[in-house]
Amino acid sequence: MITCRIYGTPVETGAVVDGLDDIVFETVSEESQPESRRFCYSLLDNDIVYGLGETMGGINKRKKSYVSYNTDDPHHRQSMPSMYGTHNFFVIDGEKSLGVFVDTPARVTFDVDINHSGVVSVLVESPNVKLYTITGEGAYDITKQFLNIIGQSFLPPLWAFGYGQSRWGYKNSKDIDKVVESYRNAKIPLDYVCLDIDYMDRYIDFTVNKKRFPNVKEYVSQKKNEGIHLVPIIDAGVKVEPGNETYDIGVQNGYFATNEEGKPFSAAVWPGMTHFPDFFQQAAREWFGNEYHKLTELGFEGFWNDMNEPSIFYSEYSTKQSKLDQVLNFLIPSRAEKQEGSKNNAYDDYHRFYHMVDGKRMNHHDVHNLFGGLMIRATGEGLSKLLPKRYLLFARSSYIGAHRYGGIWTGDNHSSFEMLRQNLWHMPALNMCGFLYSGADTGGFGGNCTRELMLRWLAFSAFTPLMRNHSALGTKKQECYRFERPEDFKKIIALRYRLLPYIYSEFMKAALHKDMYMKPLGFVYPSDETARRCDNQLIVGEGIMIAPIVEEGATSRQVYLPEEMIMVRFDGENFSEKKYSAGNIEVKIPLNEVVFFIRKDHAICVSKHLVQSTKDMDLWDVKKIGYDTTYDQYVDL
Ligand code: MIG
């Protein structure tokens, strides 16, 4: 059962779109409105708090504080309060269970059992909020009720489930060719390569640098014939550049966010000074979404959206630089970022521009957490009009509801086992908030990735819908073929491809049935206390349990089997199966192997042959492994 209490006059966020007739709405009437509101929920000792999407920490969110205020902070650490997205849904699960969705674009702080308070305290920094509470039969049932009202996940094409290679630093078609050739030579499957900001002409959205990509249209189609999709990045800020069509149309029609004087607000990001599209206006969303035609006409079918918190280096108000500084920063954008205080200015700057929200001029700060998600919506709506088939889209900043238009990746993590564990913890929490298509920068964005870390991380990412190796400029290159014995990497990515009939099928089922694709064990075995406390294993789809090695130096690990299961080992060619009864087992997992478990009385489908790209994949050419039962494959190209 779902109840929604409406306080004040909340902004329509677009998160809840379905089942409205079954929700009990109550308007809370009051004489005067407070500036902020606090809601508290008491916890029993045994309660687990699940959810909160893209926040740091484990599967159980207890004993930490989280702040929903979309932030570009590339130094990921356990103590960071905010990440890129706002996903204000959590479930308290124990003897009784309760789901809570705090629907507001305002800043929200969640103190979850801080100092053993035994309380979840939610502070909303606005009088206006819709507070949904959901009761039901435990965490899984409550989450499914929530997924039912926020609408169906975006459906990516099959190739988006292939393996992708990316790196900030690929400059031109030659760089891309080298990457593709090296993967093909090493016989490591690859489906797409991402183009980071250097493909653009001076970081201007919807342009392609002609020197770096001379015949881009032919190039895109040539790569597609080789089974490789190219996936360009689009940033939120539109360069101030009279004569550029995107800029001109935006200015002429009032499609940009405005400053205190009502003129387009200027903030510096990669292209130098930019204006931010006012994604709160429907007309602006349509315009921006349609601008993608400049790229879809060249053959691109997939995109990633970055800097949509929005990230700000400095603004027309926070620039404290000499003319020379400004010129240098303009010429060398990376210099601008390093300027003292440039990042910290963002918080003040978020108070210095405005949007038109349902005909009302509103300060950005008050609707901050919605901005990124609305960019995803603009992009997704545009692409579904421009392309006859499914597109790939994943973005950095998001709000619940944006999952209907695209996926997300978890931003600038770094090369460490801690971040691999975080990736495992993030996945079910994101799934709870509708974001089924997601994944992390495999191998880590910042820092240098070791061979061991990359192999272990790939063995986990092999199960996440988005499986992309991405790294930052200046870090050690981490394409799989650069490490010793690339055949070990091939083995793991081969497993991903052999499992694609299952992964793709289970993803589609989860999306169409408004279900989760990756679940904590406690969702599936709620009355098993050991399963509930397990935070290094996950259920993937209906039939698989994974228990990856996420500790540095480990060569084996303990795996908890809540029920009898079949352990499957993949050696690069063959799947070997062995039955184990419920309980703890110690499992050796060599660096170049993937081990997973098939749940009792479940079967799964695997491809009989390995392909180098999903383009050559026959999803029906499968064999069944696991228990002697049927498997309903969902295939729709
Ligand atoms: O200020 O486009 O998270 O994936 O490689 C950094 C360059 C901008 C941040 C993204 C990252 C991307 C990088 N971007």
Side-chain angles (χ1 to χ4, degrees):
M1 152 136 169
I2 308 182
T3 309
C4 174
R5 268 177 293 154
I6 303 172
Y7 295 87
T9 47
V11 167
E12 185 44 68
T13 64
V16 174
V17 288
D18 288 335
L20 297 173
D21 291 344
D22 298 326
I23 301 173
V24 181
F25 286 95
E26 293 167 9
T27 305
V28 179
S29 60
E30 43 196 3
E31 308 258 290
S32 65
Q33 284 188 3
E35 279 195 358
S36 62
R37 297 181 187 273
R38 191 180 286 280
F39 305 97
C40 291
Y41 306 90
S42 57
L43 297 171
L44 297 175
D45 284 350
N46 193 38
D47 285 346
I48 289 180
V49 180
Y50 291 108
L52 293 180
E54 194 185 47
T55 51
M56 292 309 260
I59 287 177
N60 189 350
K61 306 313 288 189
R62 282 179 83 146
K63 301 203 173 11
K64 274 183 97 138
S65 252
Y66 313 91
V67 177
S68 288
Y69 199 73
N70 297 348
T71 302
D72 171 16
D73 179 348
H75 306 292
H76 291 190
R77 58 206 181 273
Q78 284 303 318
S79 61
M80 76 198 280
S82 308
M83 292 188 73
Y84 312 90
T86 288
H87 309 129
N88 297 337
F89 173 62
F90 64 89
V91 179
I92 299 171
D93 184 55
E95 233 166 84
K96 284 192 200 148
S97 305
L98 179 73
V100 177
F101 174 43
V102 186
D103 192 13
T104 171
R107 196 167 186 271
V108 181
T109 302
F110 299 87
D111 289 328
V112 184
D113 193 20
I114 295 299
N115 303 325
H116 303 270
S117 62
V119 168
V120 179
S121 159
V122 180
L123 177 72
V124 180
E125 293 182 32
S126 162
N128 310 312
V129 57
K130 286 188 196 164
L131 190 74
Y132 292 83
T133 48
I134 311 179
T135 53
E137 306 283 308
Y140 196 14
D141 172 54
I142 286 171
T143 300
K144 283 194 270 194
Q145 290 186 52
F146 180 62
L147 292 172
N148 253 294
I149 60 171
I150 59 173
Q152 183 184 297
S153 157
F154 141 81
L155 301 179
L158 177 65
W159 64 266
F161 293 84
Y163 171 69
Q165 180 62 54
S166 180
R167 177 170 170 89
W168 179 10
Y170 296 158
K171 282 214 155 42
N172 49 40
S173 54
K174 284 203 190 80
D175 289 348
I176 306 292
D177 284 339
K178 245 179 258 156
V179 170
V180 174
E181 265 170 44
S182 309
Y183 269 99
R184 291 287 184 251
N185 288 340
K187 301 240 171 353
I188 304 174
L190 182 71
D191 259 85
Y192 60 95
V193 178
C194 294
L195 305 182
D196 209 319
I197 46 177
D198 297 300
Y199 82 90
M200 290 185 253
D201 174 20
R202 292 172 297 135
Y203 308 127
I204 301 176
D205 277 349
F206 310 115
T207 66
V208 176
N209 185 311
K210 292 205 173 68
K211 280 206 194 96
R212 294 175 173 184
F213 291 88
N215 297 307
V216 64
K217 197 170 175 180
E218 292 82 87
Y219 186 67
V220 172
S221 103
Q222 180 197 325
K223 287 296 128 187
K224 216 178 285 173
N225 291 335
E226 296 169 24
I228 300 289
H229 279 81
L230 298 176
V231 179
I233 196 170
I234 289 290
D235 283 0
V238 172
K239 185 176 172 58
V240 175
E241 172 112 329
N244 170 271
E245 196 189 38
T246 310
Y247 171 83
D248 288 341
I249 299 181
V251 169
Q252 279 155 23
N253 294 279
Y255 289 156
F256 290 119
T258 48
N259 63 17
E260 272 139 46
E261 289 133 47
K263 305 222 173 67
F265 171 73
S266 299
V269 207
W270 291 108
M273 278 300 175
T274 67
H275 296 330
F276 295 129
D278 186 2
F279 294 116
F280 289 83
Q281 302 175 37
Q282 196 197 321
R285 284 199 298 272
E286 278 171 21
W287 152 74
F288 193 82
N290 186 52
E291 285 300 282
Y292 282 83
H293 78 85
K294 297 185 167 117
L295 297 172
T296 55
E297 278 159 12
L298 299 173
F300 295 110
E301 296 170 333
F303 302 89
W304 49 315
N305 281 170
D306 191 18
M307 310 301 267
N308 57 331
E309 293 70 31
S311 186
I312 295 178
F313 294 166
Y314 60 88
S315 80
E316 55 180 310
Y317 297 102
S318 54
T319 314
K320 290 191 202 83
Q321 301 157 325
S322 67
K323 207 74 216 152
L324 176 67
D325 258 350
Q326 287 180 37
V327 170
L328 285 174
N329 285 342
F330 175 79
L331 292 172
I332 318 165
S334 57
R335 186 179 182 276
E337 201 192 7
K338 291 197 193 100
Q339 292 274 314
E340 201 201 337
S342 55
K343 283 271 169 188
N344 304 340
N345 282 329
Y347 188 78
D348 293 336
D349 281 331
Y350 289 152
H351 292 77
R352 291 167 171 151
F353 58 104
Y354 297 84
H355 300 287
M356 288 306 291
V357 183
D358 294 330
K360 222 173 82 194
R361 188 167 148 91
M362 286 188 75
N363 188 274
H364 174 82
H365 170 76
D366 295 324
V367 290
H368 173 68
N369 291 336
L370 259 184
F371 183 87
L374 287 175
M375 178 173 178
I376 302 180
R377 178 172 170 190
T379 304
E381 286 181 336
L383 292 175
S384 26
K385 281 185 205 144
L386 293 168
L387 292 168
K389 42 187 177 180
R390 292 188 207 151
Y391 56 84
L392 167 59
L393 173 63
F394 56 93
R396 201 168 65 175
S397 182
S398 62
Y399 187 87
I400 293 175
H403 68 285
R404 302 194 297 269
Y405 308 98
I408 55 176
W409 93 102
T410 50
D412 301 343
N413 62 2
H414 51 85
S415 301
S416 73
F417 277 81
E418 185 200 353
M419 289 293 124
L420 165 55
R421 289 190 285 277
Q422 187 61 60
N423 187 188
L424 184 149
W425 295 331
H426 266 149
M427 292 307 298
L430 290 171
N431 275 216
M432 284 176 71
C433 298
F435 292 93
L436 301 186
Y437 189 80
S438 48
D441 286 353
T442 300
F445 178 72
N448 298 329
C449 187
T450 62
R451 183 173 189 275
E452 180 194 3
L453 178 61
M454 185 54 93
L455 285 166
R456 292 301 190 205
W457 207 321
L458 286 168
F460 173 68
S461 295
F463 296 91
T464 65
L466 168 64
M467 184 193 192
R468 180 181 72 139
N469 176 340
H470 181 52
S471 57
L473 197 69
T475 60
K476 193 165 168 247
K477 293 186 175 162
Q478 62 187 37
E479 293 83 4
C480 293
Y481 53 82
R482 293 188 191 274
F483 294 96
E484 256 174 68
R485 293 192 301 285
E487 60 274 20
D488 289 348
F489 295 79
K490 178 192 165 188
K491 262 188 181 181
I492 296 182
I493 296 172
L495 171 81
R496 162 68 167 216
Y497 276 72
R498 299 281 301 275
L499 269 183
L500 270 178
Y502 176 80
I503 290 172
Y504 178 72
S505 191
E506 291 301 301
F507 179 96
M508 289 301 158
K509 284 183 208 165
L512 299 175
H513 299 160
K514 319 276 174 67
D515 202 338
M516 293 163 76
Y517 165 79
M518 284 183 138
K519 291 156 273 199
L521 263 54
F523 275 43
V524 180
Y525 308 100
S527 50
D528 178 336
E529 204 46 34
T530 316
R532 284 180 84 231
R533 299 287 153 194
C534 178
D535 74 348
N536 57 13
Q537 302 178 196
L538 292 177
I539 303 294
V540 179
E542 235 186 277
I544 287 183
M545 182 181 81
I546 55 169
I549 284 191
V550 291
E551 303 293 336
E552 185 159 20
T555 52
S556 70
R557 62 161 286 170
Q558 203 185 65
V559 178
Y560 177 64
L561 305 180
E563 58 183 333
E564 180 197 290
M565 289 187 186
I566 290 176
M567 183 168 92
V568 184
R569 234 175 234 287
F570 179 69
D571 67 4
E573 282 294 329
N574 300 303
F575 295 88
S576 59
E577 305 176 50
K578 197 172 170 198
K579 208 177 269 180
Y580 287 89
S581 36
N584 282 310
I585 56 170
E586 186 70 20
V587 182
K588 281 207 178 76
I589 313 178
L591 265 182
N592 60 2
E593 269 187 33
V594 183
V595 169
F596 62 93
F597 300 83
I598 300 183
R599 291 180 57 206
K600 186 163 195 299
D601 296 332
H602 286 74
I604 69 165
C605 277
V606 296
S607 280
K608 282 196 210 135
H609 308 286
L610 178 63
V611 292
Q612 294 299 302
S613 156
T614 56
K615 177 173 152 284
D616 300 321
M617 187 150 195
D618 177 359
L619 280 176
W620 292 111
D621 185 26
V622 292
K623 66 173 184 187
K624 213 176 64 178
I625 60 173
Y627 287 85
D628 187 16
T629 176
T630 53
Y631 176 73
D632 296 323
Q633 204 182 332
Y634 178 88
V635 177
D636 169 19
L637 294 173

